[in-house]
Amino acid sequence: MVTKKGPTKGSGGKHRNSLRGKGPTPKAEDRVYHKAYKAKKQAEKRQRSDPRLAARRRAAHFTSNSDDLVIGRNSVLEALRVGVPASVLYVANRIEHDDRTREIVRLAGQHGLNLLEADRLEMDRIARSGNHQGVILKADPFQYSSLHELVERAERKARAMEMADSKASRLSARPLFIALDGITDPQNLGAVIRSAAAFGVNGVILPERRSASVNAAAWKVSAGAAAHMPIARVVNLTKAIEALKEHGYYSIGLDGGGSKLVGETGFETDPLVVVLGSEGKGLSRLTREACDAIASIPITSAVESLNASVAAGIALYATVNARRKAGEAAN
């Protein structure tokens, strides 16, 4: 039989998949039917049950979720006394109790905190230090308000006082905010919040970047004032000031080179935002340009600048006092 030479009919790739390999051979510990797989599972089970590794996992989870920890007996006791919102109190097992730890445990029970015991190794990992004295308090994240909520709350209060017969009462109820530009020390922030609450400020405005947050340290210094002081965090402080201007607010920046004195700018009786810069750098250029007036606090040449919280207290007192005098003159 004679066959014709040339191309013959092929599969055309029809059986390509059947010719393909199945990949590399799995490791013995990955084959469910192999004894190495069973040995691997038993080792993982023993590792999970190891109390030292379990403590390490709990400590890693605890510290990764929150860096806002109050450490040490005196600090924890002060935080509980002023009502710092917290969720968990860690106490070292076999701790030698004294009057402070007894009161700490009692206050934690009154506040409904979860009381957990931990060994020395776990306490050191949570605190990232060995100087915790056997007690660690985990503070809850502070609940910030929006700028819109601050304005609505302040204007609602002002409208309610418009029906008052006293001109002084109406003036004192006009919205007053304090904005902080570059205050990075939580203790300074807490002191400013305390002064703001003392002078009836309607809210504090903080930028999200280059600013301290309301953590346990700020809460303690505020002496609990942060519990009832609305605080807003804004993306851009300059734009927030400009947005408030559109609602009829005026802004006064505090700076050593101001052309006017605090309390004498002429804007004190209007809805007002007092803008405070950092102790070293002062107001940023854009924030300074957004202010309607720059006021200064008269101090001697022997002192270069005032602490931010002290300057805030003086400026707020001058503003409230100017409103009081204007109200008395109108009455």
Side-chain angles (χ1 to χ4, degrees), residues 14-31:
K14 180 179 179 181
H15 306 293
R16 184 184 305 165
N17 291 335
S18 63
L19 297 174
R20 184 173 297 168
K22 300 298 182 181
T25 303
K27 296 180 180 179
E29 61 183 16
D30 294 333
R31 304 180 212 168

Side-chain angles (χ1 to χ4, degrees), residues 195-310:
S195 297
F199 292 108
V201 173
N202 298 104
V204 178
I205 304 171
L206 304 175
E208 289 184 356
R209 295 179 297 174
R210 295 185 294 275
S211 173
S213 58
V214 185
N215 56 16
W219 188 287
K220 281 196 305 176
V221 176
S222 75
H228 49 83
M229 172 58 63
I231 301 173
R233 297 191 77 178
V234 296
V235 177
N236 188 300
L237 184 60
T238 304
K239 290 184 178 180
I241 295 173
E242 293 173 351
L244 289 171
K245 284 185 179 182
E246 296 177 358
H247 285 79
Y249 286 75
Y250 292 91
S251 57
I252 298 174
L254 295 185
D255 192 88
S259 58
K260 298 182 179 180
L261 298 180
V262 289
E264 300 178 5
T265 62
F267 298 116
E268 282 75 17
T269 56
D270 298 303
L272 188 64
V273 183
V274 177
V275 187
L276 183 68
S278 64
E279 183 177 347
K281 298 180 180 179
L283 297 173
S284 64
R285 180 181 60 83
L286 293 177
T287 303
R288 185 186 179 95
E289 293 174 355
C291 294
D292 295 294
I294 302 297
S296 61
I297 299 172
I299 58 176
T300 63
S301 58
V303 179
E304 184 178 353
S305 62
L306 293 174
N307 179 275
S309 58
V310 174

